[in-house]
Amino acid sequence: MEDYNSWKDLLNPEFYIKLGGFWLILFIIFAETGLFVGFFLPGDSLLFVSGIYAVDIIKETFGSTGSDFLDTFILASSVALAAIIGNEVGYYFGRKTGSALYKKQDTVLFKKKYLYQAHDFFEKNGALAIIMARFLPVVRTFTPIVAGIVKMDKKDFLRDNVIGAVLWSFILIFSGHYLDKLFIEQFGIDLKKKLELIIIVIVLVTTLPVIFKFLFGKKQDFSKYRKS
């Protein structure tokens, strides 16, 4: 394993893959919504890069199945399950104590503006927000809490949660795995050697719309949620 000594490694998906492999990947995915602290960690890029390393990850954890597709399927399914569980934890936290979050002071790991933006996103997109939020950093961390706060039907939330988690994990992980194979076979390009560029592109595509919304979006009055 390479030496990782910089704080910048916290934004590098390869760092987590080589540091903790399969189990650390699942924990990060769960923590992003289940513990509400993962919004600063690589999410989309972690899944894409995990897809590139899918066969190695499964081989080191359980032993290879002998099939690239099956190894990748096992990884994507496991990530989807971790994402589903994380969202369910966030949802039930929102149902029980969510309104108190609007009174909570900002900390390094918690910003009320993120909660407000997630609420705005949920109100605008309705039930589809649960599915769509999976593909939006930061928003996906707080949307399940908002769904709980507004008492979204449990069955509807579970349905959309499962759909969103499966689409998110399978699209990104399988894209990483098979695009890597395609580029090697067709162009002789090893994506493992282009990870910095890939990560930058993924981060820009997924986060710029969110950042723009946070910086320039119209702020709303959420005082009605600050209940005693």
Side-chain angles (χ1 to χ4, degrees), residues 67-186:
S67 166
D68 280 16
F69 175 83
L70 188 54
D71 287 342
T72 307
F73 181 86
I74 291 172
L75 179 60
S77 299
S78 301
V79 167
L81 180 60
I84 291 168
I85 295 173
N87 256 22
E88 289 296 320
V89 171
Y91 172 78
Y92 281 99
F93 181 83
R95 285 185 70 95
K96 298 297 183 181
T97 63
S99 59
L101 290 176
Y102 291 98
K103 296 180 179 179
K104 182 179 174 62
Q105 296 297 315
D106 284 353
T107 65
V108 173
L109 297 178
F110 175 80
K111 304 293 183 182
K112 280 188 288 188
K113 67 177 181 179
Y114 298 150
L115 192 61
Y116 296 159
Q117 292 293 340
H119 184 276
D120 180 32
F121 182 79
F122 185 87
E123 286 292 300
K124 181 179 179 180
N125 297 287
L128 282 177
I130 307 302
I131 299 174
M132 297 167 60
R134 275 294 176 193
F135 297 87
L136 296 173
V138 181
V139 173
R140 64 171 163 258
T141 300
F142 294 96
T143 297
I145 305 175
V146 171
I149 292 174
V150 301
K151 309 296 184 184
M152 180 179 179
D153 182 78
K154 297 178 182 179
K155 293 181 180 179
D156 289 344
F157 178 82
L158 177 60
R159 177 199 62 211
D160 296 336
N161 181 18
V162 170
I163 294 173
V166 170
L167 288 175
W168 183 56
S169 60
F170 274 73
I171 288 174
L172 288 173
I173 290 176
F174 271 87
S175 292
H177 181 73
Y178 284 104
L179 281 177
D180 180 49
K181 294 187 67 174
L182 175 66
F183 272 74
I184 289 177
E185 295 173 359
Q186 299 296 323

Side-chain angles (χ1 to χ4, degrees), residues 51-64:
I52 295 176
Y53 285 97
V55 173
D56 294 332
I57 292 171
I58 297 302
K59 181 179 179 180
E60 292 176 3
T61 308
F62 306 108
S64 177

Side-chain angles (χ1 to χ4, degrees), residues 190-207:
D190 186 353
L191 293 186
K192 294 185 181 69
K193 298 179 180 179
K194 306 289 185 180
L195 289 183
E196 289 188 3
L197 177 60
I198 291 172
I199 293 168
I200 290 174
V201 171
I202 293 176
V203 169
L204 288 176
V205 169
T206 59
T207 62

Side-chain angles (χ1 to χ4, degrees), residues 208-225:
L208 281 181
V210 178
I211 293 174
F212 183 85
K213 177 66 175 177
F214 284 167
L215 293 177
F216 304 106
K218 181 180 179 180
K219 295 184 178 180
Q220 297 187 21
D221 179 16
F222 292 91
S223 60
K224 61 181 178 180
Y225 296 100

